[in-house]
Amino acid sequence: MSVLIIGTIALDTVETPFGKKQDILGGSAVHAAISSSFFAPTRIIGPLGEDFPEEHLTFLKSRGIDLSALKKMKGKTFRWSGFYEFDMNQAHTRDTQLNVLLDFDPKLDEETKKTPFVFLANLDPEIQLKVISQLKGPKLVASDTMDFWIKSKREALHEVVKKVDFLLINESEIRMFMETPNIPLAAKRLLELGAKAVIVKQGEHGALLFTENAHFSAPSYPQAQFKDPTGAGDSFAGGFIGYLAKTGDLSEGNIRRALIVGSVMASFNIEDFSLDRMKRLKKHEIGERFEEFKKFSEFEALSAAHFA
Amino acid sequence: MSVLIIGTIALDTVETPFGKKQDILGGSAVHAAISSSFFAPTRIIGPLGEDFPEEHLTFLKSRGIDLSALKKMKGKTFRWSGFYEFDMNQAHTRDTQLNVLLDFDPKLDEETKKTPFVFLANLDPEIQLKVISQLKGPKLVASDTMDFWIKSKREALHEVVKKVDFLLINESEIRMFMETPNIPLAAKRLLELGAKAVIVKQGEHGALLFTENAHFSAPSYPQAQFKDPTGAGDSFAGGFIGYLAKTGDLSEGNIRRALIVGSVMASFNIEDFSLDRMKRLKKHEIGERFEEFKKFSEFEALSAAHFA
């Protein structure tokens, strides 16, 4: 089944301990769509400026991504500039130029409205709600957000929480949003607010899944190569929803696998700047890394004899 | 087989968002020994002041802990006072009164020297080295440390690393010690320095095992009850070494299980202040929580059909 990704399309300027890159391809929708494209037919919608380099569109097309709903808008592409320090866990923003993002108000055509799997990447929750209201019988809707919206649009975000199947949120954001440091408690509150499932992204520490009846802790990966964390969460989301769309199986067991697939995709994305690692990524590497995740996290039950 | 635990015995004053407790039982050796005592015969050595309340010794004895090597020293018991803020990940020290810890220079008797499983809890690495030099044919030696020693006694700590089988260290400490934010790289450097295995304690995020040929990522536990993180790392270590001593099995599979047992014990320890939860802990609860860890972290391989 197919996937619709809606989010930002950006030109990033990123500095990490491993280098500085100017105006490189980025944006939440781009990272998510590239990741999803390894699994399922993927359509992307995002605000595109007149200055957006043709080579990036060529790259998206080469991954089979459907660009038919993408229209160049009058003005310049959204730009983010930031840096990461020593531990690279926290992005520090230097400059944000919203540009065409200010006028982004996606109108979905009839075909797009019927996409079964939808990921609303980080955007103004009011825009996310507008998109949700246009969808026709989606099988699964997942959404992401960020601290900025938690602070500035809490009410709209509550509405989003009520309307999505999977809310993706990182550790510090869920603590801020639900006003408790206790993540299981924060997740419980989000489920009570109406989310069907909550996925807590923990960066290098893995990811957690909370539903009313289930809990899953996806392991961390011992990441030796690590150059640029930008887009890790969106690569995770794209792999997660792409894999679910590919398999069409929403059992808990398959959702667990989807979290690992998401973790696998994020672990590749951060190995190089921008989408550079994803450009080189081969399908068999995904399966091999999934196996590594399994190997690295398996343990056997206690022997009854040894534990009387 | 039996376990020897050497570390501090303390009276702690602890403040967390859940309350403030004065002069409660604590210390690295106490937390580790209580945890180990659920699995194996455990002997404890640590600096004990004349003012140490008899009721705490009665409690240690009630857990079957061998106190024969424990001698009251002239002076007052070591005291630590600290607090935890909102997220409880970081202890903030208000006051440290070393007292009898200043004169602690453990001399092991002949029987104690032959203990097969030894845990050197957080202490001056020079004291740890003195203890190691007295051991006769230990089967396994594990050690812990802290940022204070990394800053002040780096050379001695290098010597400890060379001489132990398992180095237990937390995330921020391993980054500081090996001067890299990259934990797999930091662990590799410690293995190159001579450690046979490195266990990185990640608090609420679980734990990692690194050896030359193996990696294991122990999952986090969705901790709903969480009052006081003091002693979590030592409870982890005590459960880890106690379980290994009980089973006598040093295969990688069993070491993985030992990491989970350690995580289980830490998860109980933090449910209440001091050792209060451990006082109420029943053996069957340990097995049940181990099963929860397993249930919460299992996932199946990708279906070849779905991932062609």
Side-chain angles (χ1 to χ4, degrees):
Chain A
M1 276 177 277
S2 63
V3 174
L4 172 64
I5 308 269
I6 301 188
T8 60
I9 294 175
L11 295 172
D12 291 339
T13 295
V14 179
E15 188 172 358
T16 83
F18 298 95
K20 182 173 177 175
K21 304 277 176 175
Q22 194 98 22
D23 285 337
I24 52 179
L25 177 60
S28 59
V30 172
H31 282 282
I34 290 292
S35 183
S36 170
S37 73
F38 282 85
F39 307 96
T42 300
R43 180 172 298 190
I44 185 172
I45 296 183
L48 195 68
E50 293 159 319
D51 59 346
F52 193 73
E54 201 58 36
E55 61 171 293
H56 296 331
L57 294 174
T58 307
F59 166 52
L60 291 168
K61 252 182 252 165
S62 78
R63 290 269 351 124
I65 294 170
D66 181 341
L67 309 180
S68 62
L70 215 57
K71 282 173 201 76
K72 281 202 179 173
M73 296 165 68
K74 227 183 158 70
K76 290 177 95 177
T77 300
F78 166 60
R79 275 170 172 77
W80 176 77
S81 171
F83 65 98
Y84 299 86
E85 289 174 322
F86 186 64
D87 78 357
M88 294 204 276
N89 279 319
Q90 181 68 43
H92 304 278
T93 294
R94 278 199 176 109
D95 185 35
T96 305
Q97 294 172 28
L98 296 176
N99 298 330
V100 294
L101 183 54
L102 282 170
D103 302 315
F104 184 53
D105 184 15
K107 304 271 185 292
L108 277 49
D109 63 37
E110 284 310 306
E111 197 193 334
T112 305
K113 286 177 183 175
K114 294 180 197 154
T115 318
F117 287 79
V118 180
F119 175 56
L120 303 161
N122 174 34
L123 275 177
D124 182 336
E126 288 176 11
I127 304 267
Q128 292 181 323
L129 288 169
K130 277 190 187 178
V131 172
I132 292 170
S133 70
Q134 296 175 63
L135 299 174
K136 291 192 172 164
K139 202 169 152 70
L140 186 150
V141 181
S143 73
D144 195 2
T145 192
M146 72 182 292
D147 51 359
F148 181 77
W149 307 120
I150 293 169
K151 285 179 207 153
S152 62
K153 299 214 172 172
R154 183 175 283 269
E155 292 306 306
L157 209 49
H158 275 194
E159 288 308 304
V160 173
V161 169
K162 288 177 193 168
K163 289 179 173 154
V164 298
D165 300 293
F166 284 87
L167 181 74
L168 280 72
I169 188 163
N170 79 29
E171 258 181 313
S172 61
E173 290 161 358
I174 193 174
R175 287 177 160 145
M176 179 193 291
F177 193 21
M178 292 295 105
E179 296 172 332
T180 170
N182 184 317
I183 286 173
L185 177 60
K188 190 163 172 271
R189 288 182 185 168
L190 281 171
L191 295 174
E192 282 165 3
L193 268 179
K196 292 196 191 69
V198 176
I199 294 176
V200 183
K201 300 175 290 175
Q202 302 181 297
E204 64 175 320
H205 296 114
L208 305 173
L209 168 72
F210 294 91
T211 69
E212 203 191 325
N213 303 308
H215 171 70
F216 176 56
S217 173
S220 64
Y221 180 73
Q223 194 90 33
Q225 274 278 85
F226 185 6
K227 282 194 182 162
D228 175 12
T230 312
D234 299 303
S235 302
F236 174 92
F240 173 76
I241 200 159
Y243 173 76
L244 288 178
K246 176 190 183 72
T247 55
D249 171 2
L250 296 178
S251 68
E252 192 197 325
N254 204 48
I255 289 168
R256 287 181 176 219
R257 275 190 293 259
L259 258 89
I260 303 295
V261 169
S263 305
V264 164
M265 300 309 282
S267 79
F268 283 119
N269 186 74
I270 67 178
E271 287 185 1
D272 209 339
F273 284 92
S274 183
L275 283 301
D276 290 359
R277 180 65 178 93
M278 307 309 259
K279 283 180 186 167
R280 304 190 300 270
L281 185 63
K282 300 279 177 272
K283 228 167 173 183
H284 71 89
E285 294 179 291
I286 298 171
E288 285 157 17
R289 188 158 292 181
F290 188 102
E291 277 307 302
E292 281 192 85
F293 268 80
K294 195 155 167 56
K295 211 181 84 191
F296 287 161
S297 60
E298 277 177 329
F299 60 94
E300 301 295 323
L302 290 171
S303 153
H306 275 143
F307 204 74
Chain B
M1 277 177 278
S2 63
V3 175
L4 172 64
I5 308 271
I6 302 188
T8 59
I9 293 175
L11 295 172
D12 291 339
T13 296
V14 179
E15 188 172 359
T16 83
F18 298 96
K20 183 172 177 174
K21 304 276 175 175
Q22 194 100 22
D23 284 337
I24 52 178
L25 177 61
S28 59
V30 172
H31 282 283
I34 290 292
S35 183
S36 169
S37 73
F38 282 85
F39 307 96
T42 300
R43 181 172 297 188
I44 186 171
I45 297 184
L48 196 67
E50 293 160 319
D51 60 344
F52 193 73
E54 201 58 36
E55 62 170 295
H56 297 331
L57 294 175
T58 307
F59 166 51
L60 291 167
K61 252 183 250 164
S62 78
R63 291 267 354 124
I65 295 171
D66 182 342
L67 308 180
S68 62
L70 214 56
K71 283 171 201 78
K72 281 202 180 177
M73 297 166 68
K74 228 182 157 71
K76 290 177 96 177
T77 300
F78 166 60
R79 275 169 172 77
W80 176 78
S81 170
F83 66 97
Y84 299 86
E85 290 175 322
F86 186 65
D87 78 354
M88 294 204 278
N89 279 319
Q90 181 67 44
H92 304 278
T93 295
R94 279 199 175 109
D95 185 36
T96 305
Q97 295 172 28
L98 295 176
N99 299 328
V100 295
L101 183 55
L102 281 170
D103 301 317
F104 184 53
D105 184 16
K107 304 270 185 293
L108 277 50
D109 62 35
E110 284 309 307
E111 196 194 335
T112 305
K113 286 178 183 174
K114 293 179 197 153
T115 317
F117 287 79
V118 180
F119 176 56
L120 303 160
N122 174 34
L123 275 177
D124 183 336
E126 288 176 11
I127 305 268
Q128 292 181 323
L129 288 169
K130 276 189 187 178
V131 172
I132 292 170
S133 71
Q134 295 175 63
L135 299 174
K136 290 191 172 165
K139 201 169 153 71
L140 188 151
V141 180
S143 73
D144 195 2
T145 192
M146 73 182 290
D147 51 358
F148 181 76
W149 308 119
I150 292 170
K151 286 179 205 152
S152 61
K153 300 214 173 173
R154 184 175 282 268
E155 292 306 306
L157 208 50
H158 275 192
E159 288 308 304
V160 172
V161 168
K162 287 178 192 168
K163 288 178 174 158
V164 298
D165 300 293
F166 284 87
L167 181 74
L168 280 73
I169 188 163
N170 79 29
E171 258 182 312
S172 61
E173 290 161 357
I174 193 174
R175 287 176 161 145
M176 181 193 290
F177 193 21
M178 292 295 106
E179 296 172 331
T180 170
N182 184 318
I183 286 174
L185 177 60
K188 190 163 172 272
R189 288 183 185 166
L190 280 171
L191 296 173
E192 283 165 2
L193 268 178
K196 292 196 192 69
V198 176
I199 293 176
V200 183
K201 299 175 291 174
Q202 302 182 297
E204 64 175 319
H205 296 114
L208 306 173
L209 167 73
F210 294 91
T211 69
E212 204 191 323
N213 302 308
H215 172 70
F216 175 57
S217 173
S220 63
Y221 180 73
Q223 194 90 33
Q225 273 278 86
F226 185 7
K227 282 195 183 163
D228 175 12
T230 312
D234 298 304
S235 302
F236 174 92
F240 173 76
I241 200 160
Y243 173 76
L244 288 177
K246 176 190 183 75
T247 54
D249 171 2
L250 296 179
S251 67
E252 192 198 324
N254 204 49
I255 289 168
R256 287 181 177 221
R257 275 190 293 261
L259 258 88
I260 303 296
V261 170
S263 305
V264 164
M265 299 310 281
S267 80
F268 283 119
N269 186 75
I270 67 178
E271 287 185 0
D272 209 338
F273 284 91
S274 182
L275 281 301
D276 289 1
R277 180 65 178 93
M278 307 309 259
K279 284 180 185 165
R280 303 190 301 270
L281 185 63
K282 301 277 177 273
K283 229 168 172 182
H284 71 89
E285 293 179 292
I286 299 172
E288 284 157 18
R289 188 158 293 181
F290 187 102
E291 276 309 301
E292 280 192 86
F293 268 80
K294 196 157 166 54
K295 210 180 85 190
F296 287 161
S297 60
E298 277 178 329
F299 60 93
E300 301 296 323
L302 289 173
S303 152
H306 275 142
F307 203 74

